[in-house]
Amino acid sequence: MRDNDTTLAWKLYEAGRDYNERLVPSQYALVDTNTEFFSGNQWLNLPDTPAMRELPKPTFNIIKRIASLFIASLTSSAVALRFEPLAYYGAPEEQEGEDPADVANAEVGNLLEKFKFEYRLRDALYDGARSGDYCAHFWFDPTAMPYGGAFGQRRGEIRMELVDGVNVMFGNPASACVEDQPYILLVGRDTVEHLRQEAEARGSAEAERITADSENGHFSGVGGRTELSAEEGGKALYVCLYTRCSRPVKRADGTVERWESTIHVTKATRTAVIYQDVDTGLSRYPIAWGNWEKQKNQYHGRALVTGIVPNQIFINTMFATAMRHLQLMAFPKTVYNADLISSWSNEVGQAIGVRGLQPGQAVGQVAQHLQPAEMSNQIFALIDKAMAYTKECLGATDAQMGNVRPDNTSALMVLQTNAEVPLENVRAGLYEWVEDIGAILLDMMGTYYGTRPVVTDRELEEPVTDGAGNVSIDPVTGLLRTRRVSRRVVRSFDFSRFKHLWLRMRVDVGATTYFSEIAMSQTLDNLRRDGTLDVIQYLERIPDKLIPKKEELLRELRSRAAAEPEGTSAGAGGPVQGGPVDESRVAEQLTGTMQNRLQELPAVARRAVLQQGQERSR
């Protein structure tokens, strides 16, 4: 649709751009200021006067230090999406087959790994700290080959990109809820050549109407507003318009059973429509939206940098004026009699000629040094206070910033946990954003994937072998000894089942900070020392970086345990604490009476007593 050679999508874009400009302050100006201050360009737009040209321009970038600290704290815990089944999926026979929740976990895990989601998560939080918003956009690429075509020639894969918050426009800007929007706009720029190729591939008759423009003044950062000057054909701004439309679902006899809503998409420039009103089949907008700090009655959030900019300006200007004062006043000035000395020189070893000196007149009366003016210490005390109060108000404590010695790890863990309380709201918003991503991926897989292979983990029974590869036989039953192992296998699954299933979703978080690893290692050491864990169980749980060649060691211990007959200290569970108990050595430490009573005990009780005696003797 168009009006006066202007597409409808472009008119909606102009309305969204006008809304962003009417915010106080303007959203575009605010994001540009935050971006420049975060990058360290904190002396822009100064008046061009002689005093400002000579003023030093130091930058003590506490903004980047605090923002980087918060983002590192928010991403220090590994984040994973997990889907759980409800009580049942439908018919009882469906429960006997493979679990769709396991397939969802496997495929979503594969997708997040392809997206390099851990890095995308950090980039999204950096966007949120600078602009107040972070957004992920998903689309289906029908030309991509899953797993590089290793498991068949079926094509089509889900893609992900991060979009700047100023390039996302909601149809109802008073609400930040994505699913309640009448429409959502995504703004971007691409080469005219590529946009024309896309329009021709979609069968559009308006490919030649796409022309280059200079509509790049509202993109974030200097890079967003700078393009190649010699770029052939130039670039054009395009708009992707997502709308929610309802369609009837009919019965076999042609009557309407129910109405269901799907997402339609239109892509256009100012003067041309690349494709229009394409039914994606999705039931959710393929857009995940998050705010660093939510604001009342608007979809834009408040950035972390916004509240620190005035403090940063004060700290920089106070340092600059102090430096200029030292440049002008810190060194002594020489006052001399111009009638006696024609010119003064500060050259080292340079002689200074004096004419007309009266007899008996002291040389000290010819020239002397003025002592430099002292600068008040209150200036640097105020700067220190401004930095300290800024960090304190934001929750950036010394324990969180690593400015303490790790002597007492337990106390430091408590301080670190308390210091992260101000970030709990931001963390909760981040986890909600990740859950929205999981719901979008589930919807897209059910819509586009169909039946295709998927790589999952499956528990299998495998025979136990020794180091030489020989299978182990249970001497009591005469059967092969087996163990349960997890293997990655390829299976075929009909992903369209996801359109009719409801899976519970949660975000799993695992602590991976320095102090949490220390506490985990100490807990495992205590369990090992108490005999609760054997060597294999201990090594399976200890962090990989603490023990070199850990997997090789585990294989050797498992082979050794499999080769030992049933009933020894290793058994099927692996070696125990300290290895096998030497009964004779432990019994020698007992008195004669206790040795006699020990022999009267049952085998199980005697074994427990000897084990305790061995542990106490260490």
Side-chain angles (χ1 to χ4, degrees):
M1 297 178 62
R2 65 178 66 256
D3 182 18
N4 297 329
D5 291 333
T6 302
T7 60
L8 173 62
W10 189 271
K11 286 185 173 296
L12 295 177
Y13 160 68
E14 290 180 334
R17 186 179 63 188
D18 179 66
Y19 169 81
N20 286 336
E21 289 178 337
R22 286 188 291 109
L23 291 174
V24 180
S26 167
Q27 186 68 15
Y28 297 111
L30 180 67
V31 172
D32 284 342
T33 300
N34 291 350
T35 301
E36 295 299 332
F37 267 75
F38 181 86
S39 301
N41 301 324
Q42 300 175 357
W43 290 91
L44 301 175
N45 303 321
L46 293 177
D48 189 14
T49 62
M52 296 305 297
R53 286 196 294 268
E54 295 177 359
L55 185 70
K57 298 174 179 60
T59 299
F60 297 88
N61 199 346
I62 64 171
I63 290 179
K64 190 170 186 178
R65 174 73 189 277
I66 294 175
S68 300
L69 166 71
F70 285 174
I71 293 170
S73 178
L74 290 169
T75 57
S76 63
S77 301
V79 177
L81 273 170
R82 289 290 179 266
F83 297 91
E84 296 178 348
L86 297 178
Y88 61 92
Y89 295 111
E93 56 268 15
E94 288 187 1
Q95 303 180 43
E96 299 176 0
E98 54 194 5
D99 191 350
D102 293 340
V103 177
N105 288 326
E107 183 60 21
V108 169
N110 293 335
L111 287 174
L112 295 183
E113 185 177 352
K114 291 177 183 178
F115 296 157
K116 297 182 178 180
F117 192 69
E118 291 185 5
Y119 302 99
R120 297 292 184 93
L121 205 63
R122 292 183 176 89
D123 289 343
L125 286 174
Y126 273 113
D127 287 344
R130 289 176 293 196
S131 67
D133 311 313
Y134 46 94
C135 176
H137 173 226
F138 299 86
W139 76 96
F140 186 73
D141 183 2
T143 62
M145 297 186 67
Y147 307 105
F151 305 126
Q153 297 300 315
R154 186 174 182 91
R155 293 181 176 271
E157 208 167 32
I158 300 173
R159 302 294 194 189
M160 172 188 176
E161 66 176 347
L162 295 179
V163 184
D164 292 340
V166 293
N167 294 337
V168 182
M169 300 174 181
F170 284 7
N172 179 17
S175 172
C177 181
V178 172
E179 296 305 316
D180 292 343
Q181 299 300 320
Y183 66 86
I184 298 178
L185 288 174
L186 297 181
V187 183
R189 287 185 67 78
D190 201 352
T191 61
V192 172
E193 180 183 3
H194 187 267
L195 291 175
R196 287 179 177 177
Q197 291 176 356
E198 186 178 6
E200 293 173 354
R202 294 277 187 168
S204 174
E206 303 182 2
E208 296 302 323
R209 297 174 62 93
I210 303 175
T211 57
D213 58 42
S214 57
E215 297 283 347
N216 60 351
H218 294 88
F219 284 77
S220 300
V222 177
R225 298 185 294 272
T226 306
E227 297 176 353
L228 294 174
S229 57
E231 191 168 12
E232 184 177 356
K235 282 187 173 182
L237 188 144
Y238 67 85
V239 178
C240 286
L241 170 62
Y242 286 98
T243 57
R244 185 181 295 278
C245 302
S246 298
R247 65 181 180 182
V249 178
K250 298 183 178 181
R251 300 185 180 91
D253 57 0
T255 60
V256 177
E257 178 182 0
R258 68 181 188 278
W259 289 82
E260 67 178 14
S261 63
T262 58
I263 304 301
H264 290 221
V265 61
T266 298
K267 187 173 183 178
T269 63
R270 178 195 289 270
T271 57
V273 175
I274 299 173
Y275 52 83
Q276 182 172 344
D277 203 28
V278 177
D279 187 359
T280 64
L282 301 174
S283 57
R284 300 176 61 96
Y285 285 110
I287 296 168
W289 180 260
N291 299 129
W292 182 273
E293 180 183 341
K294 294 186 181 297
Q295 297 192 97
K296 191 74 171 179
N297 292 329
Q298 65 168 300
Y299 74 102
H300 287 302
R302 180 177 174 83
L304 170 68
V305 178
T306 302
I308 321 177
V309 167
N311 298 29
Q312 181 70 71
I313 293 175
F314 172 79
I315 293 170
N316 287 347
T317 52
M318 289 298 292
F319 261 112
T321 52
M323 289 179 178
R324 185 57 178 165
H325 171 83
L326 292 177
Q327 286 179 341
L328 297 176
M329 308 297 295
F331 302 98
K333 293 183 179 295
T334 303
V335 179
Y336 62 92
N337 190 339
D339 295 333
L340 302 180
I341 301 176
S342 59
S343 62
W344 185 269
S345 175
N346 285 321
E347 289 286 340
V348 178
Q350 179 69 35
I352 300 176
V354 179
R355 294 180 180 179
L357 185 65
Q358 299 297 324
Q361 184 178 2
V363 178
Q365 298 177 358
V366 177
Q368 64 179 354
H369 293 292
L370 296 179
Q371 293 300 319
E374 293 185 1
M375 185 171 56
S376 174
N377 291 330
Q378 293 180 350
I379 296 176
F380 294 104
L382 183 59
I383 293 175
D384 292 339
K385 286 291 185 181
M387 286 187 173
Y389 286 158
T390 300
K391 295 176 182 178
E392 181 179 348
C393 291
L394 293 173
T397 62
D398 289 338
Q400 195 175 22
M401 300 184 74
N403 295 332
V404 293
R405 295 181 59 185
D407 295 331
N408 190 338
T409 55
S410 299
L412 285 177
M413 288 181 62
V414 174
L415 291 175
Q416 188 182 44
T417 302
N418 294 337
E420 293 184 357
V421 171
L423 293 177
E424 287 304 315
N425 290 333
V426 181
R427 183 177 282 108
L430 176 65
Y431 294 163
E432 183 180 359
W433 183 69
V434 175
E435 288 183 355
D436 290 342
I437 290 176
I440 291 171
L441 295 178
L442 204 65
D443 184 26
M444 297 186 75
M445 288 189 296
T447 302
Y448 299 122
Y449 270 21
T451 301
R452 63 169 57 192
V454 57
V455 178
T456 62
D457 292 326
R458 175 176 291 181
E459 294 288 337
L460 301 174
E461 291 281 349
E462 290 188 355
V464 177
T465 58
D466 56 17
N470 301 319
V471 296
S472 177
I473 305 296
D474 191 328
V476 178
T477 63
L479 301 177
L480 284 176
R481 295 175 59 186
T482 61
R483 61 181 177 184
R484 297 187 64 85
V485 294
S486 179
R487 300 294 186 208
R488 295 183 68 82
V489 298
V490 180
R491 66 173 76 173
S492 181
F493 183 79
D494 183 8
F495 285 88
S496 62
R497 295 170 61 184
F498 287 157
K499 297 292 288 186
H500 310 290
L501 295 179
W502 182 265
L503 299 177
R504 289 183 295 185
M505 184 167 36
R506 73 175 193 272
V507 176
D508 281 349
V509 182
T512 58
T513 60
Y514 172 71
F515 295 115
S516 65
E517 286 189 357
I518 293 177
M520 179 177 61
S521 301
Q522 290 177 346
T523 303
L524 290 174
D525 290 341
N526 293 335
L527 292 174
R528 177 77 181 101
R529 189 179 301 109
D530 295 340
T532 306
L533 299 179
D534 58 42
V535 177
I536 294 179
Q537 293 171 335
Y538 175 83
L539 292 175
E540 288 173 342
R541 289 160 177 80
I542 201 72
D544 294 341
K545 63 183 180 182
L546 298 183
I547 298 180
K549 298 183 179 181
K550 172 181 162 182
E551 290 300 324
E552 296 181 10
L553 179 59
L554 278 171
R555 284 196 297 269
E556 293 177 3
L557 291 175
R558 291 191 182 110
S559 300
R560 189 188 309 168
E564 294 181 0
E566 189 74 22
T568 62
S569 60
V576 296
Q577 166 71 20
V581 178
D582 190 343
E583 297 187 7
S584 59
R585 291 182 58 187
V586 177
E588 289 176 357
Q589 302 175 11
L590 303 177
T591 62
T593 304
M594 294 183 65
Q595 291 182 13
N596 295 333
R597 295 183 60 182
L598 179 64
Q599 298 300 326
E600 298 174 357
L601 294 175
V604 176
R606 184 170 63 252
R607 180 71 181 173
V609 171
L610 291 173
Q611 178 70 39
Q612 293 179 1
Q614 185 188 38
E615 293 178 358
R616 292 174 180 173
S617 63
R618 295 194 182 114

